[in-house]
């Protein structure tokens, strides 16, 4: 592995998602443009870029003002290009220049890039699918390292290959690869953003970049084909969180060595992410310089390489057939087959090999030759919608069209149908068409085919994105090819043949789409303005922006381990304000709202009751054993009535359901003929077979497959007129994703857990300091945990009925002292096999994992008994106050490997507060001993005090008298003169002796009086 990336960068799709949602939310209430609509461009985003482009300026995101993100991309260029100047530069770039493919990661890429500008180090960049764009001149070194091992014939500044992924942009110039390492943050620096292009694989000769259209396993991929010294190898690039690394494949020897040939070259490579398999189109030079091609498969996991298919040397002779199964026994023409590339659709496992022919295969081993494509043409690139159709662009810029599942190839441009359509557009004076035009690229957006075309009209050039009218062209083509001129009386009349076998096709009984499409929707209406004129002010716009931002924040942060009583991210927003709703409505009705803006609480909520439209969903997610059901109503064009033992109608309308992986999913079709309506009703049920997926995180590592609904004999012939134009019928392809659907999670059902524990234990004691967010449970009670499966998309919330493993993975006596346990500690604290006296808990359940290491729990379990054995961390917990000890357990709940009811790998980590923990025997004995000692000591002290109290009283009285006598004696000396000191001393001595005698007499008399009493 060769790491070649900077530190991980933020995901760009977050900003794009915010931008897209805000535009959608603001659509209903755009400001009016009174005079010139071009001057009124009002948009909202969440960032404000200040002093962009100024010297020594650092810019940051500010979530306040209204701004656009266009200037972000302006910083990519070396020298600013004015938008007006851009169109003066475009003619020299795009006039009569061949088109090029647009490569990107489907449904992930926030921006698109397009190279192919002759002799210019520039690309087109857009974040709006070419509604607008930027011309980016790249600051790359353009160093040419051509040598004897790098057979580069000439040097050019043209960017040939350009690939956009979610977090990185790749380009190829000559034999060098560059990728963009910048982020939105680095673009605001004073240095130009395009200087962030980094060269990778600098010592390699890269002849082509091959895209990987889908992400998988948390990463995106790109492939670089080498020439020269590493001919026969592929540099396989992995992009994970902005980090780019390349690996040389095959690992131990080249493809040439593995297939036992001397000279070979890899022409194209396709990565099949579901099988972790690399398909390579290999050109082999045989004896006498003869060339032939093989499809080679390389298993990245097992490092195993095998030849799947050898492409015929010459084009088969189809003899007037639309397609031909190549078995090796067919005859061939004199036209050599020249393969140029491959295209793989992971949804239906359909592999195309293209060149001056078109081969398709469902298993990469058996191929079908599609004879409708002329062998005189050569395909330049394919454009796949991955929804059942595909466009072909040839070297001479012709456009062909293929419906996957059929074998007919339709020519769209040039054609008679195209001429008819263009003439109609000219009559309507459409600005999207001109006599002189050059196609830049062709791509799909929202399952519709678009052209990026450079038009020159009245010597003015412009780049235009326009819809490719596939349905209209097929209708015109069908009409122009199939008509009959009949004579009725004296007038000739046209009679058109309609090859569609039905007149009406309707989809019925469609379920709620949210559970299958997994798209979350919110309602966020703008606040009401109290001003008489009704226009929004800066205050109201700021309020609305803040509300939308907060709504998105609630959506992203709704991942609480403890389940809320109401399963809705917006519940906590309004739960304490509902009581004031009528009051605020009263203020708004009287135009007294604060800031003249009124926010209706019910205008910001999650939408759960979305009804199905009369069409199949964009995609279907299937969990283990789940199904999707609907019905198809068809009215036949020409019924055939047969009479027999039982009257029945045989209709030429037949419905087929084609499954890409029949070993993983199954379809049941039931038919009912409606004689009186000349119609047929089909019930279709698509179900998962519980056999092709293990367990995965919600929304990750999903298996791609598909279902194709097809009315036999109707491909390319049936259309329905809608308000948006004709819509193709009878060929409905729906991607199916098998695994754990997005938006499902496991949550701790604290409400029901408290209720059930109160019933089972006949009581419930919460902590002294009650925490409503985290209720406590008593140690000596049996603990019965319950969990919920919350569906964040549909709003459904139900009890988890599967099996799970519960482990204590951390803990501490306080929230601040919680520590994570090691794997060895987790085993000792939770395993019933532990013999070290370290168990924290136990249960009477007998079910364990296969290795007997842990107990298997369920909603019917007998509960948990807390132990806190001698060597466990919760043993002998020291109380920090006068109350009983408590402990916080960090609990991990997982159903991985033990639950057979779902594909979801649920993992939940939450804190459990247990109080009333017992002390250890030693500590309890010590406390008892100290307490008993103190009690006995106090008793003895009381008895001693009672016995000695008379003597103490006597002693105190004597002491008090002595103190009083001393005080009186000192007072006597104070009033004596110095001349009589001797007399004073003598008389003082006599007086003191008399005092002692008198005191004895006094106390003796006192004792006698006491005795008499």
């Amino acid at each position: 592995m060769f790491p070649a990336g900077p530190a991980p960068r933020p995901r760009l799709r977050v900003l794009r998602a915010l931008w897209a949602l805000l535009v959608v939310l603001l659509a209903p209430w755009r400001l009016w443009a009174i005079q010139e609509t071009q001057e009124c461009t009002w948009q909202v985003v969440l960032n404000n870029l200040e002093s962009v482009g100024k010297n020594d300026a650092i810019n940051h995101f500010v979530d306040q003002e209204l701004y656009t993100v266009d200037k972000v991309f302006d910083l990519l260029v070396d020298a600013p290009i004015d938008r007006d100047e851009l169109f003066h530069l475009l003619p020299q770039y795009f006039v009569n220049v061949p088109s090029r493919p647009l490569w990107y990661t489907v449904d992930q890429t926030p921006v698109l890039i397009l190279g192919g500008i002759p002799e210019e180090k520039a690309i087109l960049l857009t974040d709006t699918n070419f509604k607008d764009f930027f011309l980016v001149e790249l600051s790359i070194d353009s160093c040419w390292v051509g040598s004897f091992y790098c057979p580069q014939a000439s040097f050019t500044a043209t960017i040939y290959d350009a690939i956009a992924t979610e977090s990185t942009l790749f380009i190829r110039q000559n034999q060098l690869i560059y990728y963009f390492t910048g982020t939105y943050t680095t673009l605001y620096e004073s240095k130009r953003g395009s200087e962030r292009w980094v060269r990778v694989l600098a010592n390699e000769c890269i002849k082509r970049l091959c895209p990987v259209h889908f992400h998988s396993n948390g990463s995106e991929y790109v492939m670089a084909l080498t020439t020269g010294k590493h001919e026969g190898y592929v540099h396989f690039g992995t992009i994970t969180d902005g980090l780019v690394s390349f690996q040389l494949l095959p690992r131990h020897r080249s493809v040439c060595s593995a297939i036992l040939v001397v000279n070979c070259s890899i022409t194209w490579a396709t990565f099949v992410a579901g099988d972790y398999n690399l398909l390579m189109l290999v050109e082999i030079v045989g004896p006498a310089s003869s060339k032939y091609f093989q499809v080679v498969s390389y298993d990245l996991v097992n490092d195993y390489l095998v030849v799947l298919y050898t492409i015929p040397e010459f084009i088969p002779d189809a003899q007037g057939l639309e397609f031909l199964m190549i078995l090796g026994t067919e005859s061939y023409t004199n036209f050599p087959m020249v393969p140029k590339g491959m295209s793989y659709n992971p949804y239906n496992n359909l592999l195309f090999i293209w060149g001056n022919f078109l081969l398709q295969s469902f298993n990469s081993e058996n191929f079908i030759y599609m004879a409708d494509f002329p062998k005189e043409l050569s395909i330049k690139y394919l454009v796949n919608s991955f929804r059942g159709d595909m466009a072909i662009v040839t070297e001479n810029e012709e456009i062909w069209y293929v419906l996957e599942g059929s074998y007919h190839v339709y020519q769209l441009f040039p054609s008679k149908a195209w001429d008819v359509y263009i003439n109609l557009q000219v009559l309507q004076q459409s600005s999207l068409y001109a006599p002189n035009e050059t196609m830049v690229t062709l791509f799909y957006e929202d399952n519709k085919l678009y052209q990026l075309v450079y038009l020159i009209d009245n010597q003015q050039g412009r780049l235009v994105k326009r819809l490719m009218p596939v349905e209209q062209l097929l209708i015109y083509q069908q009409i122009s090819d199939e008509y009959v001129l009949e004579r009725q009386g004296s007038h000739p009349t046209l009679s058109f043949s309609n090859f569609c076998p039905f007149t009406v096709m309707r989809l019925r009984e469609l379920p709620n789409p949210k559970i299958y499409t997994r798209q979350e929707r919110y309602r966020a209406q703008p606040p009401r303005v109290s001003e008489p004129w009704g226009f929004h002010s800066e205050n109201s716009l700021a309020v609305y922006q803040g509300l939308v931002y907060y709504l998105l924040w609630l959506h992203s942060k709704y991942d609480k381990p403890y389940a809320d009583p109401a399963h809705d991210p917006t519940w906590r927003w309004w739960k304490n304000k509902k009581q004031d709703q009528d009051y605020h409505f009263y203020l708004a009705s009287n135009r007294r709202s604060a800031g003249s803006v009124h926010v209706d609480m019910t205008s910001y909520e999650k939408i759960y009751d979305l009804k199905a439209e009369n069409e199949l969903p964009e995609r279907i997610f299937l969990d283990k054993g789940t199904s999707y059901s609907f019905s198809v109503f068809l009215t036949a064009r020409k019924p055939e009535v047969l009479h027999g033992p039982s009257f029945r109608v045989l209709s030429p309308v037949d419905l087929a359901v084609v499954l890409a992986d029949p070993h993983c999913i199954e379809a049941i079709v039931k038919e009912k003929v409606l004689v009186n309506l000349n119609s047929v009703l089909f019930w279709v049920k698509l179900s998962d077979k519980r056999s092709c997926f293990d367990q995965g995180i919600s929304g990750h590592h999903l298996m791609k497959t598909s279902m194709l609904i097809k009315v036999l004999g109707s491909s390319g012939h049936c259309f329905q007129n809608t308000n948006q134009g004709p819509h193709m019928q009878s060929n409905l392809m729906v991607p199916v994703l098998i695994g754990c659907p997005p938006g499902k999670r496991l949550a701790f059902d604290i409400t029901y857990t408290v209720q059930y524990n109160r019933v089972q234990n006949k009581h419930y004691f919460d902590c002294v300091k009650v925490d409503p967010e985290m209720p406590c449970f008593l140690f000596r009670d049996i603990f019965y945990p319950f969990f919920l499966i919350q569906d964040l998309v549909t709003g459904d919330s139900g009890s988890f009925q599967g099996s799970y493993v519960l482990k204590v993975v951390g803990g501490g006596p306080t929230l601040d002292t919680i520590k994570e346990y090691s794997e060895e500690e987790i085993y000792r604290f939770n395993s019933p096999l532990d013999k070290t006296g370290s168990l924290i808990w136990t249960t009477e359940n007998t079910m364990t994992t296969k290795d007997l290491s842990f107990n298997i729990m369920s909603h019917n379990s007998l509960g948990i008994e807390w132990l806190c054995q001698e060597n466990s961390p919760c043993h002998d917990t020291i109380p920090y106050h006068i109350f009983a000890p408590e402990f916080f357990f960090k609990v991990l709940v997982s159903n991985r490997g033990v639950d057979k009811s779902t594909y979801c790998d649920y993992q939940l980590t939450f804190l459990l507060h247990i109080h009333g923990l017992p002390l250890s025997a030693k500590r309890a004995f010590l406390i008892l001993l100290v307490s008993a000692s103190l009690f006995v000591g106090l008793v003895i002290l009381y008895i001693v005090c009672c016995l000695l109290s008379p003597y103490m009283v006597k002693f105190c009285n004597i002491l008090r008298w002595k103190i009083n006598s001393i005080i009186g004696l000192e007072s006597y000396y104070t009033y004596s003169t110095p001349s009589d000191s001797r007399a004073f001393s003598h008389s003082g001595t006599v007086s003191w002796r008399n005092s002692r005698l008198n005191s004895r007499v006094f106390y003796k008399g006192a004792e006698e009086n006491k005795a008499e009493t």
Side-chain angles (χ1 to χ4, degrees):
M1 304 288 285
F2 302 96
R9 54 176 287 181
R11 298 243 171 184
L12 301 183
R13 68 174 172 179
V14 177
L15 291 178
R16 182 168 177 81
L18 296 177
W19 169 255
L21 178 59
L22 288 175
V23 171
V24 171
L25 296 177
L26 292 171
W29 55 285
R30 296 174 180 169
L31 293 180
W32 291 352
I34 300 176
Q35 296 179 351
E36 297 183 3
T37 57
Q38 294 181 352
E39 296 181 359
C40 181
T41 56
W42 185 72
Q43 295 173 322
V44 175
V45 294
L46 298 178
N47 55 323
N48 176 35
L49 308 179
E50 298 176 352
S51 63
V52 174
K54 294 183 179 179
N55 295 331
D56 302 326
I58 299 177
N59 304 284
H60 304 280
F61 281 110
V62 180
D63 299 342
Q64 294 177 353
E65 301 295 334
L66 310 179
Y67 213 75
T68 66
V69 296
D70 291 345
K71 291 187 178 181
V72 175
F73 300 105
D74 287 338
L75 297 178
L76 281 169
V77 300
D78 291 332
I81 297 179
D82 187 81
R83 294 298 295 268
D84 296 331
E85 297 178 2
L86 177 61
F87 289 101
H88 295 291
L89 298 175
L90 287 179
Q92 62 177 330
Y93 291 156
F94 295 108
V95 175
N96 298 325
V97 174
S99 66
R100 72 284 292 168
L102 183 65
W103 289 337
Y104 55 94
T105 306
V106 178
D107 297 330
Q108 294 290 119
T109 308
V111 297
L112 302 176
I113 58 175
L114 191 64
I117 302 175
E119 299 303 328
E120 293 291 340
K121 294 188 296 183
I123 59 175
L124 285 180
L125 184 146
T126 177
D127 64 330
T128 60
N129 289 337
F130 292 105
K131 292 180 180 178
D132 54 25
F133 56 89
F134 301 87
L135 183 65
V136 179
E137 292 182 287
L138 307 182
S139 176
I140 55 179
D141 48 24
S142 299
C143 180
W144 184 37
V145 295
S147 63
F148 68 95
Y149 65 83
C150 205
Q152 186 84 11
S154 61
F155 171 81
T156 179
T158 306
I159 305 298
Y160 282 108
D161 299 329
I163 301 176
T165 66
E166 183 181 13
S167 56
T168 314
L169 306 177
F170 289 90
I171 62 170
R172 179 182 68 88
Q173 184 196 41
N174 297 311
Q175 77 279 20
L176 303 178
I177 300 179
Y178 302 84
Y179 71 90
F180 183 69
T181 62
T183 63
Y184 279 116
T185 305
T186 59
L187 293 178
Y188 309 140
E189 299 175 359
S190 58
K191 296 182 180 180
R192 293 300 179 186
S194 61
E195 296 177 1
R196 294 285 181 171
W197 290 95
V198 174
R199 187 170 68 184
V200 66
L201 302 177
N203 297 324
E204 298 292 334
C205 302
I206 307 301
K207 62 181 179 181
R208 176 176 287 120
L209 288 178
C210 294
V212 179
H213 296 288
F214 292 92
H215 70 99
S216 63
N217 303 318
S219 300
E220 296 171 285
Y221 307 96
V222 67
M223 292 172 290
L225 306 184
T226 65
T227 185
K229 63 178 181 179
H230 282 152
E231 189 77 61
Y233 287 93
V234 176
H235 287 282
F236 187 74
T238 303
I239 307 102
T240 305
D241 293 332
L243 293 178
V244 181
S245 61
F246 279 90
Q247 182 181 14
L248 192 64
L249 299 177
R251 297 186 181 92
H252 301 296
R253 55 178 178 172
S254 69
V255 174
C256 304
S257 301
I259 62 178
L260 304 178
V261 297
V262 179
N263 296 322
C264 77
S265 176
I266 301 176
T267 303
W268 198 270
T270 299
F271 180 58
V272 183
D275 300 330
Y276 218 65
N277 194 21
L278 188 63
L279 297 179
M280 294 169 285
L281 181 62
V282 182
E283 179 185 1
I284 302 171
V285 180
S289 299
S290 62
K291 296 181 180 179
Y292 62 98
F293 292 83
Q294 290 182 335
V295 179
V296 178
S297 173
Y298 176 68
D299 189 337
L300 275 71
V301 177
N302 300 317
D303 191 24
Y304 177 71
L305 190 143
V306 63
V307 177
L308 295 180
Y309 182 70
T310 300
I311 299 175
E313 186 177 356
F314 297 97
I315 292 179
D317 185 5
Q319 299 179 353
L321 300 176
E322 286 187 356
F323 66 95
L324 182 65
M325 186 74 181
I326 298 180
L327 302 175
T329 59
E330 57 279 342
S331 59
Y332 293 88
T333 65
N334 296 326
F335 280 83
M337 271 191 167
V338 185
K340 298 177 64 176
M342 296 188 300
S343 176
Y344 179 78
N345 188 342
Y347 287 107
N348 56 13
N349 304 322
L350 193 58
L351 175 66
F352 285 95
I353 303 177
W354 47 267
N356 61 339
F357 61 92
L358 192 61
L359 294 178
Q360 74 172 9
S361 173
F362 288 95
N363 58 5
S364 304
E365 296 180 2
N366 302 309
F367 284 84
I368 297 175
Y369 172 64
M370 304 181 69
D372 281 350
F373 184 78
K375 56 184 177 296
E376 295 81 10
L377 299 178
S378 180
I379 298 175
K380 181 163 54 175
Y381 59 90
L382 299 185
V383 184
N384 204 322
S385 70
F386 303 103
R387 292 294 303 274
D389 55 347
M390 178 179 65
I392 300 173
V393 179
T394 64
E395 293 289 351
N396 59 349
E397 304 300 336
E398 292 188 8
I399 302 176
W400 294 69
Y401 181 75
V402 177
L403 279 173
E404 296 181 358
S406 68
Y407 305 103
H408 188 69
V409 184
Y410 304 91
Q411 184 178 6
L412 300 182
F413 170 82
S415 63
K416 294 181 181 179
W418 179 265
D419 294 337
V420 173
Y421 182 80
I422 287 296
N423 292 333
L424 293 176
Q425 296 301 312
V426 172
L427 291 176
Q428 296 177 4
Q429 298 182 352
S430 174
S431 61
L432 299 179
Y433 298 87
N436 189 358
E437 60 183 40
T438 301
M439 185 174 71
V440 178
T441 190
L442 195 69
F443 62 96
Y444 276 94
E445 179 188 348
D446 296 331
N447 203 30
K448 295 181 179 180
L449 187 61
Y450 286 89
Q451 281 181 302
L452 186 64
V453 184
Y454 182 74
L455 305 179
I456 298 180
D457 193 8
N458 297 326
Q459 297 182 351
Q460 296 292 327
R462 53 198 174 93
L463 204 58
V464 174
K465 172 188 173 183
R466 70 187 185 194
L467 180 67
M468 189 69 181
V470 176
E471 290 84 359
Q472 289 278 16
L473 295 177
L474 293 180
I475 292 175
Y476 295 159
Q477 188 178 95
Q478 180 178 330
I479 294 176
S480 62
D481 293 341
E482 305 295 340
Y483 68 90
V484 177
L485 187 62
E486 297 179 348
R487 194 166 206 59
Q488 293 184 358
S490 61
H491 302 283
T493 59
L494 283 175
S495 176
F496 297 96
S497 299
N498 194 329
F499 291 94
C500 184
F502 57 85
T503 59
V504 176
M505 179 179 180
R506 295 193 184 98
L507 299 177
R508 297 179 173 180
E509 303 177 59
L510 294 168
N512 190 319
K514 291 178 66 68
I515 190 174
Y516 296 102
T517 61
R518 314 303 299 173
Q519 292 180 346
E520 300 186 54
R521 298 172 183 262
Y522 287 87
R523 179 181 292 109
Q525 298 179 357
R528 298 176 182 175
V529 180
S530 301
E531 300 296 339
W533 48 84
F535 287 103
H536 285 273
S537 63
E538 293 183 359
N539 291 337
S540 63
L541 296 182
V543 169
Y544 185 50
Q545 177 175 292
L547 291 172
V548 173
Y549 179 82
Y550 191 68
L551 182 66
L552 295 174
W553 181 84
L554 287 174
H555 169 77
S556 62
K557 296 297 182 180
Y558 189 67
D559 193 20
K560 292 169 55 64
Y562 281 45
D564 285 334
H567 176 38
D568 193 324
T570 63
W571 175 76
R572 287 181 173 270
W573 193 358
W574 308 114
K575 65 170 184 147
N576 296 327
K577 303 175 183 178
K578 284 288 186 181
Q579 57 185 5
D580 301 328
Q581 183 176 4
D582 294 337
Y583 171 72
H584 290 292
F585 179 76
Y586 169 77
L587 293 178
S589 302
N590 292 274
R591 296 182 179 181
R592 295 181 178 272
S593 299
S596 299
V597 176
H598 171 62
V599 179
D600 187 4
M601 301 178 187
T602 59
S603 298
Y604 296 84
E605 60 182 355
K606 200 168 185 177
I607 302 175
Y608 295 113
D609 57 346
L610 186 67
K611 302 301 181 182
E613 299 179 357
N614 295 324
E615 60 182 7
L616 292 175
E618 181 181 354
R619 63 182 62 88
I620 295 175
F621 288 87
L622 290 181
D623 198 355
K624 196 169 190 176
T626 57
S627 60
Y628 180 82
S629 301
F630 62 99
S631 63
V632 181
F633 178 83
L634 295 172
T635 300
R637 185 172 299 277
K638 294 180 180 180
E640 299 178 3
V641 181
L642 296 181
H643 298 275
S646 60
F647 180 81
R648 62 195 181 100
V649 174
L650 296 181
S651 172
V653 180
D654 293 319
L655 187 73
V657 179
V658 182
L659 303 178
D661 296 281
H663 60 287
C664 298
I665 55 178
E666 64 179 354
I668 300 175
V669 181
K670 296 181 180 181
E671 177 186 11
K672 182 180 181 180
V673 178
L674 306 175
V675 179
N676 57 336
L677 298 177
N678 189 27
S679 304
V680 185
L681 184 62
F682 296 92
W683 286 281
V684 181
K685 182 178 181 181
L686 178 70
S687 303
D688 171 66
K689 297 178 70 173
R690 299 173 172 262
S691 59
C692 288
F693 199 82
D694 185 14
Q695 279 183 299
I697 302 174
S698 177
H700 292 73
H701 314 297
L702 301 171
M703 176 185 172
K704 296 181 177 66
T705 185
S706 66
M707 171 186 65
L708 176 63
I709 305 297
K710 181 178 179 181
V711 180
L712 300 185
S714 63
S715 295
H717 300 302
C718 301
F719 303 91
Q720 179 185 15
N721 291 322
T722 65
N723 56 356
Q724 298 180 351
H727 177 70
M728 190 177 300
Q729 288 184 307
S730 77
N731 220 68
L732 307 176
M733 187 267 200
V734 182
V736 179
L737 299 170
I738 301 176
C740 183
K744 300 186 72 173
R745 74 183 191 105
L746 186 68
F748 183 36
D749 190 358
I750 185 63
T751 304
Y752 185 71
T753 298
V754 171
Q755 295 176 358
Y756 190 84
N757 279 264
R758 178 183 285 110
V759 173
Q760 293 296 318
N761 296 315
K762 310 303 182 184
H763 60 262
Y764 172 73
F765 297 107
D766 205 342
C767 289
V768 177
K769 296 182 179 179
V770 178
D771 184 1
E773 297 290 333
M774 189 187 301
C776 295
F777 296 92
L778 192 61
F779 178 87
R780 70 170 183 265
D781 290 343
I782 302 297
F783 177 61
Y784 301 92
F786 290 91
F787 302 93
L788 290 175
I789 297 298
Q790 292 185 332
D791 193 327
L792 304 181
V793 178
T794 64
D796 296 334
S797 182
S799 177
F800 176 53
Q801 303 293 321
S803 302
Y804 60 90
V805 174
L806 185 146
K807 302 177 185 177
V808 177
V809 297
T814 64
L815 291 174
D816 298 331
T817 58
I818 295 177
K819 58 168 293 188
E820 303 285 340
Y821 299 148
S822 64
E823 292 294 331
E824 187 271 336
E825 290 176 327
I826 292 174
Y827 178 85
R828 290 192 296 108
F829 299 158
N830 299 273
S831 176
L833 301 180
D834 177 67
K835 305 298 182 183
T836 63
S838 305
L839 280 179
I840 293 178
W841 62 277
T842 186
T843 180
E844 296 183 2
N845 292 340
T846 58
M847 292 183 59
T848 60
T849 55
K850 293 181 179 179
D851 56 0
L852 306 179
S853 297
F854 299 100
N855 292 298
I856 297 179
M857 310 286 291
S858 69
H859 69 288
N860 294 322
S861 297
L862 300 177
I864 290 175
E865 180 183 357
W866 301 107
L867 297 179
C868 288
Q869 292 182 350
E870 184 177 359
N871 295 322
S872 66
C874 57
H875 178 75
D876 195 20
T877 302
I878 302 175
Y880 290 90
H881 39 66
I882 62 173
F883 305 109
E886 56 186 20
F887 206 87
F888 293 88
F889 292 112
K890 190 174 184 179
V891 180
L892 171 65
V893 175
S894 173
N895 69 333
R896 179 73 178 178
V898 299
D899 186 14
K900 305 300 181 182
S901 63
T902 180
Y903 288 138
C904 293
D905 179 6
Y906 294 123
Q907 286 193 0
L908 171 66
T909 302
F910 63 98
L911 294 179
L912 190 61
H913 193 182
I914 304 297
H915 70 115
L917 274 70
L919 300 173
S920 65
K922 294 181 180 179
R923 188 175 300 277
F925 179 74
L926 178 63
I927 294 177
L928 177 63
L929 182 62
V930 172
S931 301
S933 301
L934 290 175
F935 178 76
V936 172
L938 291 175
V939 171
I940 294 175
L941 180 62
Y942 175 77
I943 295 173
V944 171
C945 291
C946 291
L947 295 175
L948 298 179
S949 58
Y951 300 99
M952 295 297 296
V953 171
K954 180 178 179 180
F955 176 76
C956 291
N957 290 333
I958 294 175
L959 181 60
R960 184 181 61 181
W961 180 87
K962 289 183 177 181
I963 293 173
N964 293 332
S965 300
I966 294 173
I967 293 174
L969 183 62
E970 290 178 353
S971 301
Y972 176 79
Y973 279 119
T974 301
Y975 293 98
S976 300
T977 59
S979 60
D980 297 334
S981 60
R982 291 185 62 186
F984 175 80
S985 176
H986 178 73
S987 60
T989 302
V990 175
S991 300
W992 178 78
R993 290 177 178 174
N994 294 333
S995 298
R996 290 186 61 190
L997 181 59
N998 294 334
S999 63
R1000 290 176 181 174
V1001 174
F1002 173 78
Y1003 276 103
K1004 183 177 181 182
E1007 291 177 356
E1008 290 177 355
N1009 294 332
K1010 183 179 179 180
E1012 293 177 358
T1013 306

